[in-house]
């Protein structure tokens, strides 16, 4: 007697049905030796496939013991079962179970991917097997382009890929015409002649009669087990042909574990790309949530950084050491209009302090400015001679008024660029022209440069006059709106602020003023824009999470659509980890591509928006882009894990039966 490869003792298989259980296999005792060719025959529904799935380690028995090569199969973990399927078994199914998106050669290679065979060797061997099975011309065809007989031959090649010491064929001729069926049976006989163990499951007695031994099964019981007197063995093939299909043993392969893992991950990567490509529209729609989320996070952060930068640049142009003293207790103090204690004498007194570099009083009002037939509303600023020094404003043309003008209530005016445009347009030189503000005639002596962005860049028209002129001609009193102070360069602005506060309290007898320094403004603006950025980023992150849930949703659909594929991969020996990685990688790739597209859109948004609206500045930060990629990867992992895990935990038999 040959070595027993498969030993079944008292094997039973039951399924829950209603309240109880139905036994579809019972008390199966069977020993199959190395190199036998066995047919299992029986009517449809007698339990043949169930038995074969147990023998092939696709399914587990509910009762009895199963020893494979002398080892107890019940003790095996899922991955050990996968290893047996991969290393020892070759499955041939009635419906071929080829993967539609792979070529014939690609299908044949699948078991070798999971065995860790190097790429070139894998391909060479797949082509060799296909040539041997008469498919020389068809190696690059997809299953849809092959006839049933050809597809079945591809599936036989796949069964032989890793060795296939035991060939399990479940109704291999069931879907074929008689000629192709004959061919397939002859191939199986050849494989037996080479020394392989071949087990054929069939309901067709004429197929069974090709086998050496016929086991008959009825209602889950073995009813007959006899050698076939009509068996005609094939002549063993010449040694050269046999050698060709015999695989190298795993020990012969000079492969480390690491490169094997790398190879499997690379294959999973290509598989993921292939499946994304096969469902382009769906992939794109899945990505949409991620794209929008990432694009808006990057945009918002860039816009926040941009506006902060412009505003801060503006404050810096005011100088870091400027203080502005206002009447009242704070902005919005309703009494501030009535407080008239802040006067130009205060400004003069401050100017004498050693810690003060320059002082300018300011008063302001508004009025209608006219030139020729044009008129517009303008802000009338009464300022001191040092005003432009303090504020850092520059002249585009003309000159600024001097102390004599202030002392003499001169009717000189410096206008800003907005005013020049509104009143004079491009043709006329405004210098020396006389404009009217209300009933007061003013001579234009200078035009300021436009300040970039921020506070200065409003669309208001600004006029600058000696403050004395504004007090006398427009306001009729000598109360100041504010006093602007530039602190001397070598003095700490906060110390200067304290000294100045003390001095003014002494002069006024009470603190009826407040001081704004540019540092406060800077801090307020920085923290405001940071808060805004954070807020909008939080909204964008919510959209990312929603996008992630979308990815999870679609991945669950993908998994349930591809249950059949998962079953085939498991049958040829994929580990649970292989399936997990394949689907996880697909989710991560979808998210990562979404992230890349999102970042590209965000990078494009700045320049494109800039074409229409110069007001918005985008400052892209490398960190936010790096975070965008990290977070999209994380979303893929987090939201892809559940679907990938459910795929990897599928029961191979259940998966295959769909
Ligand atoms: P055969 O391959 O001989 O046609 P099967 O082995 O496929 O028969 O099925 C044997 C019996 O087991 C059938 O009656 C079938 O309905 C039942 N069966 C198979 N799989 C399941 C299952 N997953 N749940 C419940 N019953 C099953
Ligand atoms: Mg069946």
């Amino acid at each position: 007697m040959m070595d027993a490869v498969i030993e079944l003792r008292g094997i039973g298989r039951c399924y829950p049905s209603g309240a109880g259980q139905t036994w579809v296999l019972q008390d199966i005792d069977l020993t199959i030796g190395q190199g036998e060719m066995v047919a299992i025959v029986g009517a449809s529904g007698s339990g043949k496939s169930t038995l074969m799935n147990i023998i092939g380690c696709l399914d587990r028995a509910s009762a009895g013991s199963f020893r494979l090569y002398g080892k107890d199969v019940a003790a095996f973990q899922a991955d050990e079962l996968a290893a047996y399927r991969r290393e020892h078994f070759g499955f041939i199914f009635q419906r071929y179970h080829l993967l539609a998106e792979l070529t014939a050669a690609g299908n044949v290679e699948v078991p070798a991917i999971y065995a860790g065979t190097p790429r070139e060797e894998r391909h060479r061997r797949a082509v060799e097997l296909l040539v041997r099975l008469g498919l020389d011309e068809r190696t690059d065809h997809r299953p849809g382009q092959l006839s049933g007989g050809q597809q079945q031959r591809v599936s036989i090649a796949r069964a032989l890929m890793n060795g296939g010491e035991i060939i399990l064929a479940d109704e291999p001729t069931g879907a074929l015409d008689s000629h192709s069926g004959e061919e397939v049976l002859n191939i199986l006989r050849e494989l037996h002649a080479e020394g392989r163990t071949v087990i054929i499951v069939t309901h067709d007695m004429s197929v069974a009669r090709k086998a050496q031994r016929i086991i008959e099964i009825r209602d889950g019981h073995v009813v007959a087990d006899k050698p076939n007197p009509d068996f005609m063995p094939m002549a063993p093939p010449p040694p050269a042909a046999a050698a060709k299909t015999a695989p190298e043993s795993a020990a012969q392969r000079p492969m480390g574990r690491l490169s094997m893992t790398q190879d499997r991950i690379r294959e999973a990567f290509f598989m993921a790309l292939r499946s994304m490509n096969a469902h382009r529209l769906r992939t794109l729609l899945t990505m949409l949530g991620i794209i929008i989320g990432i694009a808006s996070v990057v945009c918002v952060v860039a816009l926040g950084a941009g506006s902060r930068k412009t505003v801060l640049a503006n404050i810096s142009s005011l100088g870091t050491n400027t203080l502005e003293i206002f009447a009242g207790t704070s902005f919005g103090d309703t009494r501030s209009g009535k407080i008239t204690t802040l006067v130009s004498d205060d400004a003069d007194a401050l100017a004498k302090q050693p810690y003060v570099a320059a002082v300018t009083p300011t008063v302001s009002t508004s009025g209608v400015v006219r030139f020729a037939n044009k008129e517009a509303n303008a802000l009338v600023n009464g300022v001191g001679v040092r005003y432009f020094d303090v504020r850092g404003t520059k002249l585009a043309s003309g000159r600024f008024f001097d102390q004599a003008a202030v002392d003499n209530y001169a009717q000189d005016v410096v206008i800003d660029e907005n005013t020049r445009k509104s009143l004079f347009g491009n043709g006329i030189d405004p210098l020396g022209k006389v404009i009217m503000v209300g009933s007061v005639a003013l001579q234009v002596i200078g035009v300021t440069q436009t300040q970039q962005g921020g506070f200065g860049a409003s669309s208001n028209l600004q006029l600058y006059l000696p403050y004395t002129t504004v007090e006398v001609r427009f306001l009729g009193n000598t109360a100041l709106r504010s006093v602007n102070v530039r602190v001397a360069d070598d003095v700490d602005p906060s110390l200067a602020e304290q000294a100045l506060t003390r001095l003014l309290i002494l002069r006024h007898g009470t603190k009826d003023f407040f001081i704004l320094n540019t540092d406060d403004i800077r801090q307020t603006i920085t923290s405001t824009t940071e808060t805004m950025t954070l807020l909008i980023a939080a909204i964008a992150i919510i959209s990312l999470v929603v996008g992630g849930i979308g990815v999870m949703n679609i991945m669950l659909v993908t998994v349930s659509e591809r249950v059949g594929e998962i079953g085939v991969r498991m049958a040829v020996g994929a580990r649970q980890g292989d399936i997990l990685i394949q689907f996880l990688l697909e989710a991560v790739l979808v998210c990562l591509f979404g992230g890349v597209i999102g970042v590209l859109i965000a990078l494009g948004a700045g320049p494109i928006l800039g074409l229409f609206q110069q007001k918005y500045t985008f400052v892209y930060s490398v960190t936010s882009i790096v975070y965008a990629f990290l977070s999209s990867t994380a979303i893929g992992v987090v939201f892809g894990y559940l679907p990938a895990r459910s795929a990897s935990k599928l029961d191979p038999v259940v998966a295959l039966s769909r």
Side-chain angles (χ1 to χ4, degrees):
M1 173 84 195
M2 285 172 264
D3 299 341
V5 188
I6 292 160
E7 292 169 273
L8 304 178
R9 293 287 168 268
I11 285 294
R13 180 71 170 100
C14 67
Y15 292 105
S17 75
Q21 304 168 317
T22 319
W23 288 87
V24 298
L25 282 183
Q26 256 180 317
D27 286 330
I28 306 283
D29 290 318
L30 209 57
T31 305
I32 296 174
Q34 166 74 47
E36 276 194 272
M37 182 166 186
V38 180
I40 299 175
V41 279
S44 172
S46 55
K48 307 180 299 290
S49 295
T50 309
L51 179 60
M52 204 195 81
N53 289 338
I54 290 173
I55 293 174
C57 295
L58 282 167
D59 195 9
R60 287 177 189 271
S62 318
S65 91
F66 171 20
R67 302 182 81 80
L68 186 60
Y69 293 100
K71 296 209 185 74
D72 183 12
V73 173
F76 289 165
Q77 302 290 313
D79 278 355
E80 285 173 277
L81 293 177
Y84 270 90
R85 294 197 291 269
R86 196 165 59 234
E87 315 275 335
H88 300 284
F89 291 111
F91 290 94
I92 299 164
F93 301 99
Q94 179 174 358
R95 293 262 155 220
Y96 334 123
H97 285 332
L98 298 177
L99 303 183
E101 69 268 38
L102 298 181
T103 61
N107 267 288
V108 177
E109 283 181 54
V110 173
I113 293 172
Y114 299 121
T117 314
R119 199 183 177 76
E120 299 75 35
E121 187 189 324
R122 203 163 72 203
H123 188 70
R124 185 180 50 72
R125 190 169 154 70
V127 172
E128 249 173 45
L129 284 168
L130 287 171
V131 168
R132 185 192 153 186
L133 292 170
L135 292 169
D136 330 29
E137 312 279 287
R138 300 282 185 275
T139 55
D140 289 331
H141 286 51
R142 283 171 205 279
Q145 301 165 316
L146 297 174
S147 74
Q150 289 169 331
Q151 289 189 61
Q152 195 60 300
R153 278 184 277 157
V154 173
S155 95
I156 294 173
R158 179 177 67 188
L160 298 175
M161 188 64 189
N162 283 346
E165 293 156 40
I166 307 173
I167 301 290
L168 298 174
D170 190 349
E171 309 273 10
T173 60
L176 300 178
D177 59 83
S178 60
H179 173 71
S180 308
E182 194 70 29
E183 266 179 8
V184 164
L185 281 177
N186 282 334
I187 295 168
L188 291 175
R189 290 171 65 204
E190 263 176 49
L191 295 177
H192 167 247
E194 272 172 32
R196 293 168 206 273
T197 310
V198 177
I199 302 173
I200 304 171
V201 159
T202 180
H203 66 279
D204 183 346
M205 207 50 212
S206 67
V207 171
R209 269 195 285 273
K210 299 278 197 267
Q212 188 180 25
R213 171 181 167 194
I214 302 176
I215 298 169
E216 206 180 328
I217 184 168
R218 192 179 302 153
D219 296 332
H221 294 273
V222 174
V223 292
D225 182 352
K226 291 186 286 244
N228 176 13
D230 307 333
F231 178 61
M232 303 258 288
M234 252 191 183
K244 255 192 170 179
T245 45
E248 304 85 278
S249 76
Q252 276 174 294
R253 288 182 209 127
M255 290 216 68
R257 267 201 71 73
L258 183 70
S259 62
M260 262 171 71
T261 315
Q262 278 175 349
D263 204 50
R264 273 160 50 205
I265 290 177
R266 196 184 56 194
E267 285 311 316
F269 177 78
F270 287 127
M271 264 319 297
L273 286 186
R274 239 179 255 127
S275 111
M276 282 164 71
N277 185 45
H279 304 104
R280 279 182 294 269
L281 183 64
R282 178 204 285 179
T283 308
L284 196 71
L285 290 175
T286 314
M287 283 177 189
L288 215 54
I290 306 292
I291 294 175
I292 293 171
I294 293 287
S296 48
V297 172
V298 174
C299 273
V300 163
V301 171
L303 202 57
S307 64
R308 194 158 60 234
K309 193 182 147 202
T310 5
V311 172
L312 291 182
N314 254 287
I315 300 172
S316 303
S317 78
L318 299 182
T320 47
N321 44 5
T322 347
L323 303 172
E324 198 162 4
I325 306 160
F326 291 91
T329 51
S330 68
F331 282 125
D333 181 352
T334 47
R335 295 169 303 120
S336 62
K338 301 187 192 92
I339 297 173
T340 53
T341 44
L342 194 64
V343 293
S344 59
D345 279 354
D346 290 329
D348 294 340
L350 288 172
K352 295 199 185 82
Q353 301 305 313
Y355 50 84
V356 170
V359 174
T360 174
T362 76
V363 291
S364 74
T365 182
S366 60
V368 177
V369 56
R370 279 194 300 277
F371 176 77
N373 58 351
K374 296 198 184 110
E375 59 177 39
N377 282 309
L379 287 174
V380 180
N381 301 290
V383 299
V385 284
R386 306 295 302 275
Y387 182 76
F388 282 13
D389 294 340
V390 175
R391 300 301 294 255
T393 310
K394 304 226 163 28
L395 284 170
S397 62
R399 60 180 181 85
F400 202 61
F401 48 79
D402 56 12
Q403 191 57 45
V406 173
D407 294 343
N408 298 324
Y409 314 102
Q411 286 171 294
D412 291 342
V413 64
V414 174
I415 62 175
D416 71 346
E417 177 62 18
N418 285 339
T419 315
R420 189 195 65 72
K421 266 192 246 161
S422 310
L423 294 187
F424 299 98
N426 282 329
I428 307 166
D429 179 9
L431 292 182
K433 299 286 183 305
V434 173
I435 61 176
M436 298 295 292
V437 177
S439 59
V440 183
L442 300 167
Q443 185 175 29
V444 179
I445 60 167
V447 180
T448 62
Q449 287 177 2
T450 337
Q451 266 187 325
Q452 279 304 314
F455 308 131
S458 69
S459 49
N460 286 333
L461 310 188
Q462 305 276 357
L463 306 177
Y464 302 98
L465 286 66
Y467 70 96
T468 50
T469 313
V470 177
E471 283 173 352
V472 170
R473 302 277 177 193
F474 292 91
L475 299 174
N477 69 46
T478 55
L480 298 180
R481 184 182 88 99
S482 73
V483 176
N484 287 8
V485 176
R486 183 178 203 119
V487 177
D489 281 340
D490 49 351
V491 178
D492 179 353
S494 63
L495 289 180
E497 189 176 332
Q498 285 166 20
L500 185 151
T501 308
R502 272 197 304 275
L503 178 77
L504 283 180
I505 289 176
L506 267 179
R507 290 180 60 88
H508 294 184
T510 165
K511 189 171 182 297
D512 54 0
F513 58 91
F514 66 96
I515 298 173
L516 213 64
N517 67 42
T518 43
D519 234 36
D520 289 347
I521 305 174
R522 188 199 315 275
Q523 275 167 20
T524 313
I525 287 169
T526 307
S527 76
T528 320
T529 53
E530 270 171 6
T531 314
M532 285 304 290
T533 306
L534 215 66
L535 202 82
I536 303 173
I539 294 170
I541 283 167
I542 291 172
S543 92
L544 274 184
V545 171
V546 173
I549 293 170
V551 170
M552 178 152 75
N553 208 352
I554 296 292
M555 286 310 295
L556 283 171
V557 172
T558 305
V559 168
S560 69
E561 260 184 11
R562 284 158 61 186
V563 165
E565 173 196 328
I566 296 167
V568 173
R569 288 176 180 277
M570 286 178 159
V572 302
R575 301 159 192 80
Q576 293 188 335
D578 292 321
I579 303 292
L580 183 90
I581 286 176
Q582 184 189 329
F583 284 92
L584 198 56
L585 213 57
E586 197 170 321
V588 169
L589 281 180
V590 166
C591 292
L592 211 56
F593 276 144
V596 170
I597 297 175
V599 166
L600 290 180
I601 289 177
L603 290 180
I608 289 171
L609 211 65
L611 291 180
F612 302 105
Q613 216 4 314
Q614 262 108 42
K615 217 155 58 185
Y616 304 110
T617 332
F618 283 67
V619 176
Y620 296 104
S621 77
V622 178
T623 13
S624 76
I625 291 169
V626 169
Y627 274 124
F629 287 131
L630 286 182
S631 57
S632 48
T633 310
I635 288 168
V637 172
V638 169
F639 291 98
Y641 182 74
L642 190 78
R645 208 185 95 98
S646 73
S648 74
K649 294 289 178 202
L650 278 173
D651 186 342
V653 192
V654 174
L656 268 176
S657 68
R658 286 213 220 140

